């Protein structure tokens, strides 16, 4: 069964010998080049054939990322640009550093430009001077949160203006570090480049703290987000236990996907109710959240609620607004729940103490932890290998624990969401012991 086109576009035949000295002999004890023919199965699930054999459920294969023996660009002629878009996220500086160091030391590319404030820095109206990047400048930036280039939403839809700027700057490689909106913009930029017949490679690195890009095993920053959310939940639990009918209410990121909330609930077993966008709930009624919360307080005297920002939005009025990236603006589910819990228990004549914590900006601005630092370093290096080989409209992803080159169009084709039929959600329910459904 074939469902997806994983073929990666290239600017042309790679004919130049790479400056990276590696081996193309298996078993000689030296690191090997990667060939375009080196591929892995997209789906590792199997099915049984009528004759009893096990075969892959899906035969689609994905191209492995890594250094090629032949490259497309002459390093001496390369001008690479890097931009970070959208909201900030742990690991942005790590990726920038990895790209710069791989270009400089592995390929001998010494013309590297940092674009200020995302795609807006590529618009003709921008007054922000691009930043010349080198290994000395990026030497210690991995220890800091945020991005030395600055980040901003918007501008990605002004494709023609952006490509005009890339032409004027003589850029032939553009690295776009960002999430869904950023990569949609990158895909449109790459298509405009090909339409004009230009030889500019566009390579994306997936940055979405919500972990919601399709076909991406994990996006960088997610691991750090969970590790930062855990102590917040712990504090909420302490607050709840030390008050009469205390309720610790914590809101984390997760507009359409509840991976941070789900994973934090597993990492810190103090969570009693994990609310995510994929699992709608009612407030009132016999099965609703408020009655379930009342029962919990009557039984144990305290409770911790962890809610993703996109959860329960159907209970709130539509704002009718969007941000600069085109994302729908949400009402604050945390404040709404706080007010509703207080209203309900006042009506019930029952004392309750709600402690509401929103650590979103603390989490976003944190430096990457060790796991994310490793991941970012490898993502950045593999992005450089893909670009120098002439790959374009490509995103560096991890799939089945292997780094792969993935068409951007596939990554933005749908959202990665928590399946309520998955083992992840099953484990969350077992850990929190919350009702399977809080819908009447």
């Amino acid at each position: 069964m074939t469902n997806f086109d994983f073929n990666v576009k290239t600017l042309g035949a790679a004919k130049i010998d790479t400056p990276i000295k590696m081996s193309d002999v298996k078993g000689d004890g030296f690191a090997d080049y990667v060939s375009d023919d080196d591929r892995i199965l997209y789906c590792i699930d199997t099915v049984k054939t009528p004759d009893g054999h096990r075969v892959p459920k899906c035969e689609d294969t994905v191209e492995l990322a890594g250094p090629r023996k032949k490259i497309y660009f002459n390093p001496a002629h390369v001008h690479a640009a890097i931009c970070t878009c959208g909201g900030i996220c742990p690991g942005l500086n790590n990726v920038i550093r990895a790209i710069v160091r791989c270009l400089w030391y592995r390929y001998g590319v010494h013309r590297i430009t940092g674009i200020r404030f995302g795609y807006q820095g590529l618009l003709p109206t921008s007054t922000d001077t691009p930043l010349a990047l080198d290994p000395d400048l990026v030497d210690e930036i991995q220890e800091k949160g945020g991005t030395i280039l600055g980040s901003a939403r918007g501008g990605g839809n002004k494709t023609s203006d952006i490509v005009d700027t890339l032409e004027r700057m003589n850029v032939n490689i553009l690295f776009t570090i960002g999430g869904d909106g950023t990569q949609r913009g990158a895909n449109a930029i790459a298509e405009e480049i090909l339409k004009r017949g230009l030889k500019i490679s566009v390579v994306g690195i997936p940055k979405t703290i919500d972990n919601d890009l399709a076909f991406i095993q994990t996006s960088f920053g997610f691991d750090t987000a969970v590790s930062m959310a855990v102590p917040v939940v712990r504090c909420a639990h302490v607050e709840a236990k030390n008050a009469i009918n205390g309720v610790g209410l914590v809101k984390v990121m997760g507009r359409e996907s509840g991976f941070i909330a789900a994973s934090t609930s597993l990492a810190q077993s103090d969570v009693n109710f994990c609310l995510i966008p994929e699992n709608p709930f009612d407030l009132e009624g016999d099965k609703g959240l408020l009655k379930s919360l009342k029962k919990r307080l009557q039984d144990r005297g305290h409770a911790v609620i962890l809610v993703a920002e996109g959860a329960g939005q159907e209970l709130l009025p539509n704002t009718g607004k969007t941000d600069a990236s085109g994302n729908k603006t949400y009402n604050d589910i945390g404040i709404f729940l706080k007010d509703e819990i207080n209203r309900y228990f006042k009506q019930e004549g029952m004392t309750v103490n709600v402690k509401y914590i929103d650590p979103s900006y603390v989490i976003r601005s944190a430096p990457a932890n060790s796991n994310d630092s490793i991941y970012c370093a490898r993502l950045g290096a593999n992005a450089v290998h893909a670009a120098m080989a002439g790959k374009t409209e490509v995103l560096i992803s991890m799939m089945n624990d292997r780094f792969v080159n993935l068409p951007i169009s596939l990554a933005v084709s749908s959202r990665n969401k928590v399946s309520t039929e998955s083992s992840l959600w099953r484990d969350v329910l077992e850990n929190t012991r919350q009702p399977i459904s809080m819908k009447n």
Side-chain angles (χ1 to χ4, degrees):
M1 180 177 65
T2 301
N3 297 314
F4 306 108
D5 182 4
F6 288 107
N7 291 315
V8 173
K9 292 181 180 177
T10 63
L11 296 175
K15 300 178 179 179
I16 299 172
D17 290 334
T18 180
I20 297 178
K21 302 304 179 185
M22 299 179 70
S23 171
D24 52 7
V25 178
K26 301 293 183 183
D28 63 357
F30 295 97
D32 297 325
Y33 294 112
V34 178
S35 163
D36 287 351
D37 293 329
D38 291 334
R39 304 177 73 90
I40 62 168
L41 286 170
Y42 155 60
C43 179
I44 60 175
D45 294 333
T46 64
V47 294
K48 186 180 287 187
T49 62
D51 59 2
H53 289 92
R54 284 281 174 183
V55 298
K57 184 177 181 180
C58 174
E59 295 183 353
D60 290 340
T61 61
V62 190
E63 177 182 295
L64 282 178
R68 270 45 178 177
K69 189 174 183 180
K70 296 285 186 178
I71 58 177
Y72 178 79
F73 288 110
N74 182 338
H77 300 162
V78 169
H79 179 194
I82 307 170
C83 65
T84 52
C85 309
I88 62 171
C89 168
L92 285 167
N93 279 333
N94 302 66
V95 175
I96 294 168
R97 182 176 186 266
I99 291 172
V100 170
R101 287 171 60 87
C102 189
L103 282 169
W104 194 283
Y105 291 127
R106 301 291 275 161
Y107 287 98
V109 173
H110 292 168
R111 194 177 178 198
I112 311 168
T113 298
I115 305 301
R116 304 302 309 278
F117 301 107
Y119 289 136
Q120 293 196 30
L122 288 170
L123 299 179
T125 54
S126 174
T127 58
D128 296 296
T129 304
L131 188 63
L133 300 174
D134 60 46
D136 289 337
L137 184 64
V138 303
D139 188 39
E140 297 179 353
I141 63 172
Q142 78 280 7
E143 299 175 10
K144 304 172 184 176
T147 161
I148 61 168
L149 301 179
S151 191
R153 300 187 186 278
N157 59 338
K158 298 181 180 180
T159 309
S160 184
D161 289 341
I162 289 172
V163 177
D164 287 344
T165 300
L166 295 175
E167 279 197 87
R168 283 195 297 270
M169 294 176 65
N170 292 318
V171 168
N172 40 23
I173 294 177
L174 174 66
F175 295 101
T176 60
I177 309 171
D180 181 79
T182 302
Q183 303 310 337
R184 287 182 189 278
N187 203 53
I189 291 166
E191 289 177 352
E192 175 66 17
I193 286 168
L194 291 178
K195 190 188 302 180
R196 297 190 189 187
L198 303 174
K199 298 299 184 180
I200 303 175
S201 169
V202 178
V203 178
I205 297 95
K207 177 233 73 175
T208 166
I209 207 166
D210 295 349
N211 201 36
D212 60 354
L213 275 171
F215 299 94
I216 306 295
Q217 182 174 316
T218 307
S219 53
F220 76 82
F222 173 75
D223 191 87
T224 304
V226 172
S227 68
M228 291 290 292
V230 165
V232 177
V233 170
R234 189 180 300 122
C235 292
H237 182 237
V238 171
E239 287 283 354
K241 285 196 73 173
N242 285 271
I244 298 172
N245 290 328
V247 177
L249 174 60
V250 179
K251 185 185 77 172
V252 292
M253 291 80 67
R255 290 180 51 82
E256 297 184 45
S257 305
F259 287 103
I260 293 177
S263 296
T264 302
S265 296
L266 291 175
Q268 184 67 22
S269 297
D270 294 329
V271 176
N272 307 115
F273 298 93
C274 178
L275 309 177
I276 62 173
E278 298 90 333
N279 193 40
F281 61 93
D282 290 330
L283 277 179
E284 308 282 356
D286 288 342
K287 294 183 179 180
L289 171 65
L290 294 173
K291 195 151 191 178
S292 298
L293 177 59
K294 180 180 178 181
K295 183 178 185 307
R296 163 73 193 186
L297 292 177
Q298 288 172 334
D299 291 345
R300 300 300 299 273
H302 69 280
V304 174
I305 302 171
L306 181 58
V307 59
E309 63 183 312
Q313 289 298 317
E314 65 278 1
L315 304 173
L316 296 157
N318 192 328
T319 66
K321 300 176 182 178
T322 57
D323 64 20
S325 296
N327 300 312
K328 181 179 175 181
T329 301
Y330 286 163
N331 282 300
D332 194 320
I333 185 63
I335 292 175
F336 173 77
L337 286 178
K338 174 188 171 185
D339 292 342
E340 286 299 305
I341 291 168
N342 282 321
R343 175 197 62 78
Y344 174 79
F345 283 99
K346 182 178 181 181
Q347 177 183 301
E348 293 290 303
M350 185 174 169
T351 299
V352 70
N353 286 280
V354 183
K355 311 296 184 183
Y356 175 49
I357 308 172
D358 180 357
S360 300
Y361 293 107
V362 174
I363 292 173
R364 289 189 351 158
S365 60
N369 66 12
S370 298
N371 283 340
D372 268 327
S373 294
I374 294 166
Y375 190 32
C376 290
R378 301 185 74 188
L379 282 172
N382 279 296
V384 172
H385 297 321
M388 292 301 295
K391 312 285 182 185
T392 192
E393 291 186 47
V394 66
L395 191 75
I396 306 305
S397 170
M398 181 172 273
M399 188 178 288
N400 301 326
D401 292 323
R402 306 287 293 277
F403 285 93
V404 297
N405 295 329
L406 178 74
I408 292 177
S409 56
L410 280 181
V412 299
S413 63
S414 62
R415 291 277 189 179
N416 188 25
K417 294 178 179 288
V418 175
S419 169
T420 53
E421 297 182 4
S422 67
S423 61
L424 171 62
W425 189 243
R426 178 198 67 207
D427 293 343
V428 170
L429 294 179
E430 290 177 356
N431 220 35
T432 61
R433 299 188 299 281
Q434 71 190 67
I436 294 174
S437 172
M438 288 183 282
K439 291 287 290 183
N440 292 302

